[in-house]
Amino acid sequence: TFNIYFEPENVCDAADVLAAAGYRVHFAKPADGGRPLCCGRTFLSAGLVDEAKAEARRLMEVLEPFAQRGIPIVGLEPSCLLTLRDEYPALLPGAAADALANSAFMFEEFLAAEIDAGRLNLPLAPIDPKKAMLHGHCHQKAFGLMGSVKKVLGLIPELDVESIETSCCGMAGAFGYNADTYDISIKMAESKLAPAVREAAPSTLIAADGTSCRHQIHDTTGRAPLHVARILKSA
């Protein structure tokens, strides 16, 4: 939802990268042609469990046939994609949720798995700048997925990738926008993340997959972070 409506360039670039590697990309759409699909994460984070389940059912109805056929379900936003893997089996326990959870991959995770399987054929050229600083989304860290992000960025010739060792960026969905938690959110960003970004050379790429993370970095430093898909597309 975030990438389609607010940052569609992320979706376009990810699709272009997958196509360049020889994959056929299908965009999941609601069976009735109505309101676009949503993982339900925003409802869940607000404690609206019934509403989240309703969204999960709509999404599962469309994606389960692909999962049953072994087709990977690839997502760009960590908190959304990993909801399919973590919360769905608890929200709607059963074979359908398990199949979807087993087929759900982050964009870089899917590419890294294809590298390990010897199947990835993605021609990449050096880019300018030659340095990137990488901030991990909390969900990516919790699922141990930052290694796959570094592996995929490492495919770009001559690119030096440095991880920013931080905790949460402080945005955490709507946490950074609420009046009563805004100050805490900023303190979290200023603990390590924002100073590290400010100290980076102006030419250094700032990579961050999370929408919330990118907003927090931009709001506190003025820098414009990029989803990894956009960096790969540039190569």
Side-chain angles (χ1 to χ4, degrees):
T1 301
F2 295 104
N3 287 304
I4 288 174
Y5 288 106
F6 298 110
E7 297 176 278
E9 58 273 18
N10 296 333
V11 177
C12 294
D13 285 359
D16 285 348
V17 169
L18 290 170
Y23 301 100
R24 186 157 56 93
V25 180
H26 174 82
F27 287 94
K29 297 180 180 179
D32 60 6
R35 183 170 58 82
L37 298 167
C38 172
C39 70
R41 158 62 60 184
T42 48
F43 281 129
L44 200 58
S45 65
L48 302 172
V49 177
D50 290 340
E51 290 84 347
K53 285 183 177 180
E55 293 302 311
R57 289 190 185 96
R58 292 180 69 240
L59 190 64
M60 285 174 55
E61 178 185 3
V62 174
L63 293 183
E64 185 192 1
F66 294 97
Q68 294 291 358
R69 291 161 56 193
I71 296 175
I73 310 299
V74 179
L76 301 180
E77 179 66 30
S79 59
C80 296
L81 185 280
L82 293 171
T83 296
L84 276 59
R85 203 141 95 201
D86 191 23
E87 281 88 355
Y88 274 26
L91 283 173
L92 300 170
D98 290 342
L100 187 56
N102 291 331
S103 298
F105 297 92
M106 284 299 301
F107 173 73
E108 299 91 350
E109 184 185 19
F110 169 73
L111 292 177
E114 294 296 277
I115 294 171
D116 293 343
R119 289 192 293 260
L120 188 69
N121 181 21
L122 182 62
L124 298 175
I127 60 174
D128 194 20
K130 306 294 185 187
K131 168 95 179 200
M133 295 188 72
L134 173 63
H135 166 70
H137 186 285
C138 287
H139 278 83
Q140 286 176 304
K141 295 174 186 173
F143 278 80
L145 298 181
M146 293 311 297
S148 63
V149 181
K150 291 195 73 171
K151 175 179 283 193
V152 169
L153 283 174
L155 293 174
I156 301 175
E158 303 173 18
L159 182 65
D160 176 28
V161 181
E162 177 186 342
S163 294
I164 307 174
E165 297 302 325
T166 62
S167 59
C168 178
C169 72
M171 182 61 80
F175 185 85
Y177 288 119
N178 294 330
D180 57 343
T181 51
Y182 174 80
D183 290 342
I184 298 173
S185 170
I186 294 299
K187 286 180 180 178
M188 294 169 72
E190 293 295 345
S191 172
K192 290 183 180 179
L193 176 59
V197 172
R198 290 193 198 101
E199 291 170 7
S203 61
T204 298
L205 291 168
I206 309 298
D209 277 349
T211 294
S212 296
C213 306
R214 289 193 298 274
H215 278 254
Q216 185 80 316
I217 291 170
H218 181 268
D219 291 347
T220 55
T221 70
R223 299 292 294 270
L226 298 173
H227 192 286
V228 172
R230 298 198 63 197
I231 298 174
L232 287 179
K233 172 64 185 294
S234 71

